[in-house]
Amino acid sequence: MHVVVCTKVTPDTAAKVSVNDAGVVGWSEAPVINPWDEYAVTEAVLLKGDHGGQATVMTVGKQEHEEALKQGLAIGCDQAIRVWDDALEGHDNLQYSKAAAAAIEKLGDVDLVIFGKEFADTQTDQYVYQVARKLGWTSLGAVAKILEIDFNASTIKVERLLEQGKAVVSAKLPAVIAVLKDINEPKYPSFMGIRKAAKAEIPVWNLGELGIDVGEPKTKVAQYKNLPVRGSQVQLFDGTPEEAAAKLADKLIEEKVI
Amino acid sequence: MIFVWTEHFDDKLAQASREALGKATKLGAGEVVALVFGENVDDIVKQSFHYGADKVIKADDATLANFRAEPYVALLVKAAQEHNPNYILAASTARGREVMGGASMDLDAGLISDVNELEIEGGNLKAVRPVYSGKVLATETASGDLQMATLRSRAFTPNEPDESRSGEVIELAPVLSEADITSKVESFEEAKGSVSLTDAAIIVSGGRGVGGPDGFDPVRELAEVLGAALGASRATVDAGWIPYEHQVGQTGKVVSPDLYIAAGISGAIQHQAGMRTAKVIVAINKDPEAPIFGLATYGIVGDLFQYVPALTKAFKERLGK
Ligand SMILES: Cc1cc2nc3c(=O)[nH]c(=O)nc-3n(C[C@H](O)[C@H](O)[C@H](O)COP(=O)(O)OP(=O)(O)OC[C@H]3O[C@@H](n4cnc5c(N)ncnc54)[C@H](O)[C@@H]3O)c2cc1C
Ligand SMILES: Nc1ncnc2c1ncn2[C@@H]1O[C@H](COP(=O)(O)O)[C@@H](O)[C@H]1O
C-alpha cells in the first residue's frame, strides 16, 4: 500500500495575522504545519503502521513548506516530495491541483491520498476534490473516521460528517479523502524523528519533470484587508442573576436578534 | 445565464441553497437556472421556483437518491457543457464544496470558495472571503468564460418565497449508471433534535466553565428556549463532554449567527476564528479578564450556573414559553 498526504505550512493558529500598509499579509511567529494536516499526516502514519507499506508526504510550494514535510518525516512518513516551479508563482487552486495530481501520478502506485480539511490560511477547500477529479478517483470530504480499509481488496469505508448528520460511505480505492479533527490523536515528532528528518534530502519536482502545463490562473486575490474593528466596548450587565438576566434579555429582544 | 446547484434534505430546499438562489437573482447575470438532482425531487423543483429560479434543470434518478460526488459532478459538468452558463453558484456546505470543486477541474473554471460578499464587475465575479482563520478578508476575482463561487451559509438573504412562480423544467438524464459509480452510501444517521450549527440564527455555546458533561444541561436548556443550536469549545470536545460536531472554531465549524452566546468560554483566538462574524456576541464568564469580553457586544461577569438559568427563565417569560 502507498498513502500520500498533502500538506504545507501556515501561520500558527495563535499568531496575530494582519495586513500592512502595502497590503501584504504578515504574522508574528514562525509558520507551522497546517493545523488540519496534523490529523492527515498522523492518519497516514497510523495506516502504514497497521497495514505496512509506504507513506509519502508531499507539498506543492516554495522551500518554506519543507518544514511541514520534515514534520511528516519526523512523525514517520518514509519519503517527502516537494513540487515547485516558477510557473506556479501566483498560482490559483486549479493550477496547484493539476501539479499535485501529476505528482501523485508520477509516484505511480498510490492507493489513498489524504488531505486535511483545508488550509488555515487560504481556506479554499478545493484541492481535495480537484485533485480527485484530475486523477479520476473518488473523493470523500469531511471524513470523521475510517471504519474499514482493505488495500488488497481496494476498498474503504468511512464516516462522513455532513451538515444534517453522519453518512457511512464505502468506496473503491484509489481515492482522495479529507479528514477532520476527530479522526485521531495527532502524533508529535520524537527527538530521533526530528534528527532524521533534518538530514533528509527532499527532491523537488518541477512541471517539466511532471510533464504538465498548468495554464493561467483563473482566480486571483485583488486585495487583502484587515477585519473591520468590532463596534465599541462590551456593555456589561450586573446585579443579581435575575436582574442581569432581565436587562440582557430585554436588550437582546430590543436588538431583534431573538 | 447563472446556474445554482441546490441541495435539499427531507424534501426541503436547504436554507443555504435558498440563500444562494436569492443572491443569484440579485446579481443581474441573466436567467437563474436551478439544478436539482436527486430522486423524487418534484417538490424541490417547485420550491426552487418559489425561491427565485427562472428555469430548473432536473435529474431524477435512483442513482441520485443519496449525495455522491461522482454522479453529481458528472451531471453538473454535463449541464454546464450543454447550456453554457456564465456563472455557477452553490452553497459552501460539505456537499457544495465537493460538487463545485470537482466540477471546476472538469470545466477548467476558476472557483472562489466560501464567499461572504459577491458581485459582478466588468463581467467577472468579485468576492470577499475570510482567510487566515478569519483574521483577514481577501477580495478575489475570477476570469474566464465560466466562473464559479460557493456562498457561505447565512451571508446572503433568501427571497421571500413566491408560490405563484414556476417555469420551464429541463430533464437531464444521469451520466453514470450504478455500475459506473465506485462509492455507495451505506447509511445515514440524522443529527436528531438539534438545529444545524451552520444554519442557526442563534447559537448558545458552552466551554470548559461548564465543568463536565452535565454542566451542558443549563446551556442546552437556554438553547432550547431560544430555538438555538448548541455549540461548544474545543476544550469540552477534547474532554469528551460533547461530540465533535458541536465544536465551533478554527478546527471546528465556522458560524455566522445573529446571536452567539458564549458561556464559560475564555475566547481563545482559535475559538474566535469560528464565531467572530456573529452579529451580536454575548459572553457569560466569571473572569472579567477573559479575552471573550474583548469581542463581546454584551457581557455578564459571573457564574454561568447562576446566570444561564436566570436567562433561560427571563426568556421563557418574555417569549411566552
Ligand atoms: C491548532 C489548534 C486548533 C484549535 N481549534 C479550536 C477550535 O476549533 N475551537 C476552540 O474552541 N478551540 C480551539 N483550540 C483551543 C483553544 O486554544 C482553547 O484551548 C479553547 O478554545 C479553550 O476552551 P474554553 O474556552 O472552553 O476553555 P478555557 O480556556 O479553559 O476557558 C474556560 C473559561 O470558563 C470560565 N469559567 C469557568 N467556570 C465558570 C463558571 N462557573 N461560570 C462562568 N465562567 C466560568 C473561565 O473563566 C474561563 O474563561 C485550538 C487550539 C489549537 C492549538
Ligand atoms: N500546495 C499543496 N501541497 C500539498 N497539499 C496541499 C496543497 N494545497 C493544499 N493541500 C492540501 O489541501 C488541503 C486543503 O487546502 P485548502 O483548499 O487551501 O484549504 C490542505 O489541508 C492540504 O492537506
Side-chain angles (χ1 to χ4, degrees), chain A residues 13 15 98 121 123-126 130 133 138 160 164 166 168 170 220 222-223 225 230 250 255, chain B residues 95 97-98 106 108 111 113 129 132 135 137 139 141 182 184 186 189 191 270 276 298 318:
Chain A
T13 56
K98 289 173 189 172
D121 53 1
Q123 294 186 257
T124 66
D125 191 15
Q126 296 182 17
Q130 290 173 338
R133 208 57 202 174
T138 307
R160 302 186 60 192
Q164 302 85 353
K166 292 176 187 166
V168 173
S170 58
K220 62 172 194 283
Q223 191 196 13
K225 285 188 299 217
R230 252 202 111 84
D250 288 338
E255 281 229 18
Chain B
R95 297 176 178 95
R97 286 161 182 243
E98 196 156 311
D106 282 36
D108 205 21
L111 166 61
S113 292
R129 53 188 302 271
Y132 292 94
K135 293 172 195 167
L137 294 174
T139 305
T141 54
T182 61
K184 184 165 178 254
E186 307 273 351
E189 185 192 323
Q270 296 94 348
R276 200 187 328 249
Y298 304 115
R318 283 163 180 74

Side-chain angles (χ1 to χ4, degrees), chain B residues 1-6 13 17-26 30-36 42-58 158-170:
Chain B
M1 187 194 289
I2 180 162
F3 272 13
V4 179
W5 179 74
T6 63
L13 188 60
S17 296
R18 297 176 189 181
E19 294 165 7
L21 271 173
K23 183 64 196 176
T25 61
K26 290 171 198 125
E31 231 177 2
V32 175
V33 181
L35 282 84
V36 179
D42 286 341
D43 245 19
I44 307 298
V45 169
K46 278 194 202 133
Q47 293 171 41
S48 300
F49 286 122
H50 298 167
Y51 281 95
D54 299 311
K55 263 188 196 159
V56 170
I57 296 179
K58 164 181 109 159
N159 296 338
E160 275 306 316
D162 174 354
E163 309 225 333
S164 69
R165 286 179 53 92
S166 71
E168 185 190 351
V169 180
I170 303 165

